[in-house]
Amino acid sequence: MHLDFSINDIKSALKKLKSQNMSTKKVVIIYSGGMDSYTVLHLAKHEGYEVHAVSFNYGQRHSKELLYAEKVTRKFNIPHKIVDISSINQLIAGSSLTSNIDVPQGHYEEASMKQTVVPNRNMILLSLAVGYAVSIKAEAVYFGAHSGDHAIYPDCRTEFVSTMNEVCKIANYEAVEVRAPFLKSDKIEILARGLALNLDYNDTWTCYNGREKACGKCGACQERLEAFAGNNMTDPLEYE
């Protein structure tokens, strides 16, 4: 049997195969700079994906999380885009995270925490991230929704993630999967997974207030502190 393959043919085929394998291993992470998305980012890296991080300035009252996101991606040499969509703030006002409304104190389960809901935020951010994923030939978009958010945030619930996943598989010629690896986990479990990966949570910011130190009183701070207590650890961040 005569095989009519040249060395150049073989090299070309190998190069094409390598390129295809690389493209199927790309994912986009919606990276806020908080501890949940930080853990998701490193989980995807640990699973062998080529990670591309995207952060959004959607008009939130402080950008401290974005500074942490920039620091981490630079530290680990991760491609990172910070996208300014703050002009949409005029359309999605009414949240204490985007408008001149006092940030409520107390645990997430309190009704007052609904003041922190930003209208349609995750649908907007996922749509943009999926567009980015299509453009760089990434197979999935990851984000940090978890079970602790379910009571307050409709766009972090299983029904929303499942439906967005189905839509994003058919919204373009290229199917993009929406993945929320901690959707059924709480903050304690997320932190435990990150600690098992030897992650440094001093590289994250959670507080709804953007002051020099975390307030320790808002729902985000309280849930974070409970997560560290649940893992018999001390939070490395400084608190007021």
Side-chain angles (χ1 to χ4, degrees):
M1 181 183 294
H2 177 65
L3 298 178
D4 191 17
F5 288 117
S6 69
I7 295 297
N8 287 337
D9 289 335
I10 295 172
K11 286 182 178 179
S12 178
L14 289 173
K15 184 177 180 180
K16 184 177 180 180
L17 182 61
K18 181 179 179 181
S19 175
Q20 290 174 341
N21 286 339
M22 286 179 66
S23 68
T24 59
K25 296 292 283 184
K26 283 183 188 174
V27 294
V28 171
I29 312 295
I30 297 179
Y31 186 35
S32 70
M35 61 185 293
D36 303 326
S37 62
Y38 174 78
T39 310
V40 169
L41 179 88
H42 285 280
L43 178 64
K45 275 174 53 65
H46 180 73
E47 291 175 344
Y49 287 106
E50 178 185 328
V51 170
H52 293 253
V54 59
S55 305
F56 296 99
N57 175 1
Y58 55 86
Q60 55 266 56
R61 290 171 63 172
H62 71 81
S63 58
K64 194 152 186 176
E65 276 190 334
L66 298 180
L67 297 177
Y68 275 77
E70 190 172 21
K71 171 187 171 184
V72 167
T73 52
R74 188 168 56 245
K75 178 179 178 180
F76 292 97
N77 196 29
I78 295 169
H80 181 218
K81 293 185 182 295
I82 298 179
V83 183
D84 186 350
I85 57 170
S86 56
S87 61
I88 70 171
N89 184 263
Q90 61 188 306
L91 300 177
I92 58 171
S95 167
S96 61
L97 302 190
T98 57
S99 301
N100 189 24
I101 301 171
D102 289 340
V103 174
Q105 297 181 2
H107 198 272
Y108 263 114
E109 292 179 358
E110 297 183 11
S112 63
M113 290 306 297
K114 290 184 179 179
Q115 294 176 23
T116 66
V117 175
V118 178
N120 211 36
R121 177 175 61 180
N122 282 344
M123 183 179 288
I124 294 167
L125 302 189
L126 281 167
S127 294
L128 293 170
V130 167
Y132 179 39
V134 170
S135 73
I136 64 171
K137 296 180 171 54
E139 67 178 48
V141 169
Y142 282 66
F143 80 120
H146 63 87
S147 66
D149 289 334
H150 293 180
I152 306 300
Y153 302 113
D155 59 1
C156 289
R157 295 172 186 163
T158 303
E159 301 93 326
F160 171 81
V161 176
S162 176
T163 302
M164 280 298 294
N165 182 43
E166 292 304 312
V167 169
C168 293
K169 286 180 178 178
I170 61 173
N172 299 278
Y173 286 114
E174 302 84 353
V176 175
E177 188 175 353
V178 173
R179 297 174 185 168
F182 296 126
L183 190 60
K184 297 182 180 179
S185 304
D186 61 23
K187 204 94 164 183
I188 295 173
E189 293 168 319
I190 294 172
L191 180 59
R193 185 64 182 274
L195 293 172
L197 293 173
N198 296 314
L199 301 188
D200 180 4
Y201 284 90
N202 199 42
D203 284 340
T204 66
W205 182 264
T206 301
C207 183
Y208 284 148
N209 295 292
R211 300 192 286 264
E212 182 179 351
K213 297 179 182 179
C215 74
K217 297 178 181 178
C218 69
C221 280
Q222 290 204 358
E223 190 182 39
R224 177 180 174 124
L225 288 168
E226 288 171 2
F228 276 93
N231 283 280
N232 298 312
M233 298 285 292
T234 300
D235 190 346
L237 280 187
E238 289 188 73
Y239 286 82
E240 295 174 349

